[in-house]
Amino acid sequence: MDNKKIIINVGRQLGSGGLVIARKLAEDFGCSFYDKELLNLAAKESGFSEKFFEQNDEKKGFFRSLFHIHAPFMSDNNFYNNKLSQESLFQFQSDAIRKAAEAGSCVFVGRCADYVLRDFDNTVNVFVTANIDERVKRICKRHGCTEDEARKIIESKESSRSSYYNYYTGKEWGHSTSYDLCINSSILGMEGTEEFIKDFIKKKLGIGA
């Protein structure tokens, strides 16, 4: 396989298997993988603790939350030391994403990475969906909850994800015009979907087998 640097950005519906597929793509292409890892990078970038980023992960209106935090959410290099004014935490996370992408090939999951890295070469933006019944079953298994509870979890989480994405990018979360490829993992299954995406990436970027 060619040694050019590549960037793969994966958006996903909750319970679609997008996270598992993204991990496999990272393995197959020899990329660094970033999902929750981005929160730690952003925390280091900003001086805030990782726990604060976790509580605000993929939620819009970061900065309003700053005025409701308590000491345990601050690291030693805190709000006052950084002289943080109107910068949002989104900017810190974006800086972390760009630094990681500059360092080498990466797979990013969510967090508007497709928008943040829109000016980078050799990028592929993918969105993974799945049939609602399959998604509900996965969430039930993951959380040990009823189907009704799973549907509420999906609705709540995706409302936050879409609001976050739409707010910061000016695009529409999950809409085909926002990505290079949108794919339903229920059709080919997890393994088949990953293989399809892998082949698509190779063709788009001109990567030899």
Side-chain angles (χ1 to χ4, degrees):
M1 191 176 290
D2 296 345
N3 292 321
K4 70 167 72 172
K5 183 170 71 174
I6 63 174
I7 306 296
I8 303 167
N9 302 308
V10 180
R12 74 289 184 214
Q13 285 186 313
L14 192 68
S16 66
L19 181 62
V20 175
I21 289 168
R23 283 190 187 278
K24 187 65 168 62
L25 288 170
E27 291 176 8
D28 287 348
F29 285 101
C31 297
S32 298
F33 177 82
Y34 295 99
D35 175 33
K36 295 293 186 182
E37 294 83 356
L38 284 171
L39 304 181
N40 185 47
L41 292 177
K44 290 179 180 178
E45 191 74 22
S46 67
F48 286 91
S49 75
E50 186 176 354
K51 186 174 181 180
F52 182 69
F53 278 83
E54 287 176 356
Q55 292 199 348
N56 292 280
D57 190 22
E58 292 190 298
K59 296 176 183 176
K60 71 176 184 178
F62 275 142
F63 194 70
R64 288 196 302 275
S65 302
L66 292 176
F67 300 101
H68 302 286
I69 59 179
H70 303 289
F73 295 103
M74 309 295 289
S75 66
D76 293 335
N77 187 19
N78 64 27
F79 177 91
Y80 300 102
N81 291 338
N82 274 296
K83 297 180 181 179
L84 182 65
S85 56
Q86 292 303 310
E87 280 190 270
S88 69
L89 300 188
F90 175 78
Q91 188 61 51
F92 289 122
Q93 186 162 266
S94 296
D95 291 343
I97 289 171
R98 280 188 286 267
K99 283 189 176 182
E102 288 168 356
S105 294
C106 300
V107 173
F108 296 99
V109 178
R111 296 165 185 86
C112 304
D114 58 315
Y115 175 76
V116 173
L117 301 175
R118 62 194 180 279
D119 295 326
F120 277 61
D121 294 329
N122 299 322
T123 62
V124 181
N125 303 317
V126 178
F127 191 83
V128 181
T129 68
N131 295 344
I132 186 62
D133 288 344
E134 287 191 19
R135 295 166 58 209
V136 167
K137 287 179 181 177
R138 289 191 182 113
I139 297 304
C140 284
K141 184 177 181 180
R142 186 184 304 170
H143 294 279
C145 61
T146 66
E147 290 190 358
D148 285 343
E149 290 170 336
R151 289 177 187 275
K152 289 179 181 178
I153 291 171
I154 289 171
E155 182 179 352
S156 175
K157 182 65 175 178
E158 292 194 347
S159 176
S160 295
R161 270 184 195 171
S162 61
S163 294
Y164 175 88
Y165 184 89
N166 298 349
Y167 179 82
Y168 285 111
T169 70
K171 301 195 294 180
E172 185 175 349
W173 182 80
H175 195 281
S176 60
T177 57
S178 300
Y179 310 91
D180 299 314
L181 175 68
C182 293
I183 187 166
N184 186 333
S185 63
S186 298
I187 297 173
L188 299 177
M190 301 284 277
E191 185 175 339
T193 299
E194 194 272 336
E195 286 292 327
F196 186 96
I197 296 172
K198 182 170 66 174
D199 188 53
F200 176 86
I201 291 170
K202 288 180 179 180
K203 289 179 178 177
K204 182 178 186 294
L205 301 182
I207 298 173

